[in-house]
């Protein structure tokens, strides 16, 4: 059974550019959430999608957005990149969007903004 | 808002010995879930163990067990018979049981566990 797949693994972008990251959840998982991991702030919740609907969003500016498709695959987009957006972006999927279910995480996309 | 605190940035233990990682959390909710995740250098977060707040019995998974003290808001992880493969960052995480859990996980800053051969 394939795990959570995130692409690309590494990405280098220039300040001001836009970036799109992709996440394919485990087959059958309908809930996808995104997290940003930095040395300074640690792991922070970005947003969660369930059945193509964003259920909640963390404390991030509007430059951070996402969506989920009918096959549960998800993308997150960051516009007008800033140096501080350099981070590991982790995607996690869950069978259903209930709190007692554990998440399965992908290996992340390492974004570097120069 | 909930907060999760891991007071030990780094811990070191001899192979085959037992180590306990600390975690405290702050919440006004009564319904929630607690998790320990492991993040090796491969970066993938791996679920180690899960505890439902309404269960008094401490969760165990093979060599991993927790000491869940709800009144004290403490959720420590005990690793018995430590192995070299246990070396990783360990994160304690909280998830609300209300609102369908849509708020995602709140993580602590992590504890870097070193296993000495």
């Amino acid at each position: 059974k394939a795990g959570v797949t995130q692409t690309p693994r590494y990405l280098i972008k220039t300040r001001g550019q836009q970036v799109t990251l992709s996440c394919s959840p485990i087959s059958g998982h309908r809930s996808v959430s995104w997290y940003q991991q930095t040395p300074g702030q640690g792991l922070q919740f970005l947003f969660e999608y369930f059945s193509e609907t964003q259920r909640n969003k963390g404390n991030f500016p509007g430059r951070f957005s996402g969506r989920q498709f009918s096959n549960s695959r998800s993308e997150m987009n960051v516009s007008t990149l800033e140096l501080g957006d350099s981070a590991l972006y982790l995607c996690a999927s869950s069978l259903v969007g209930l709190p007692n279910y554990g998440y399965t995480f992908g290996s992340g996309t390492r974004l570097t903004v120069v | 808002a909930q907060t999760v605190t891991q007071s030990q940035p780094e811990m070191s233990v001899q192979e085959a010995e037992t180590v306990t990682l600390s975690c405290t959390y702050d919440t006004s909710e009564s319904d929630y879930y607690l998790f320990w995740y492991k993040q090796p250098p491969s970066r993938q977060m791996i679920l180690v163990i899960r505890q439902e707040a309404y269960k008094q019995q401490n969760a165990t998974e093979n060599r991993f067990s927790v000491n869940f003290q709800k009144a004290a808001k403490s959720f420590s992880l005990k690793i018995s018979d430590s192995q070299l493969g246990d070396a990783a960052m360990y994160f304690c995480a909280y998830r609300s049981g209300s609102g369908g859990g849509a708020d995602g996980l709140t993580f602590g800053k992590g504890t870097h566990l070193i296993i000495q051969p």
Side-chain angles (χ1 to χ4, degrees), chain A residues 20-25 29-30 32 49-53 66-76:
Chain A
T20 299
L21 310 182
S22 179
C23 172
S24 293
H29 283 198
R30 296 166 59 195
V32 173
Y49 287 88
F50 181 72
S51 294
E52 302 178 65
T53 300
R67 58 178 175 170
Q68 186 179 34
F69 301 95
S70 58
N71 62 357
S72 294
R73 190 178 70 86
S74 177
E75 290 180 346
M76 68 162 281

Side-chain angles (χ1 to χ4, degrees), chain B residues 64-107:
Chain B
F64 299 87
S65 62
V66 298
N67 183 5
F68 174 47
Q69 301 290 326
K70 191 171 184 178
K73 295 180 182 174
S74 171
F75 183 60
S76 61
L77 174 70
K78 185 172 84 171
I79 306 174
S80 304
D81 184 27
S82 297
Q83 301 175 0
L84 294 177
D86 295 334
M89 283 293 292
Y90 284 80
F91 293 94
C92 178
Y94 170 104
R95 188 171 188 187
S96 171
S98 61
D103 293 338
L105 292 163
T106 300
F107 285 92

Side-chain angles (χ1 to χ4, degrees), chain A residues 6-77:
Chain A
Q6 291 189 247
T7 57
R9 288 267 291 175
Y10 300 91
L11 204 52
I12 300 175
K13 288 287 188 179
T14 303
R15 220 172 5 169
Q17 285 187 315
Q18 170 181 290
V19 67
T20 299
L21 310 182
S22 179
C23 172
S24 293
I26 290 174
S27 178
H29 283 198
R30 296 166 59 195
S31 173
V32 173
S33 57
W34 290 87
Y35 293 83
Q36 181 196 64
Q37 185 175 21
T38 60
Q41 298 299 316
L43 283 147
Q44 294 183 285
F45 170 70
L46 276 159
F47 26 64
E48 175 161 344
Y49 287 88
F50 181 72
S51 294
E52 302 178 65
T53 300
Q54 185 182 94
R55 298 204 301 167
N56 209 347
K57 184 176 180 179
N59 189 24
F60 280 84
R63 301 184 297 106
F64 291 81
S65 63
R67 58 178 175 170
Q68 186 179 34
F69 301 95
S70 58
N71 62 357
S72 294
R73 190 178 70 86
S74 177
E75 290 180 346
M76 68 162 281
N77 183 277

Side-chain angles (χ1 to χ4, degrees), chain A residues 9-10 35 37 40-43 45 48 55-56 88 90 97-110, chain B residues 33 35 37 39 42-47 50 52 91 95-109:
Chain A
R9 288 267 291 175
Y10 300 91
Y35 293 83
Q37 185 175 21
Q41 298 299 316
L43 283 147
F45 170 70
E48 175 161 344
R55 298 204 301 167
N56 209 347
L88 178 66
L90 291 165
L98 295 176
N100 56 311
Y101 281 79
Y103 286 107
T104 301
F105 281 81
S107 295
T109 293
R110 172 78 65 188
Chain B
Y33 301 82
F35 305 86
Y37 279 91
Q39 187 178 39
S42 66
R43 308 180 330 197
Q44 185 174 15
M45 299 283 281
I46 301 165
L47 178 64
R50 165 176 51 209
E52 292 88 342
F91 293 94
R95 188 171 188 187
S96 171
S98 61
D103 293 338
L105 292 163
T106 300
F107 285 92
K109 293 291 189 184

Side-chain angles (χ1 to χ4, degrees), chain B residues 13-19 63 79-84 86 115-117:
Chain B
V13 64
Q14 292 288 132
E15 195 176 2
E17 292 189 345
T18 295
V19 63
R63 299 182 295 108
I79 306 174
S80 304
D81 184 27
S82 297
Q83 301 175 0
L84 294 177
D86 295 334
I115 310 294
Q116 308 272 12

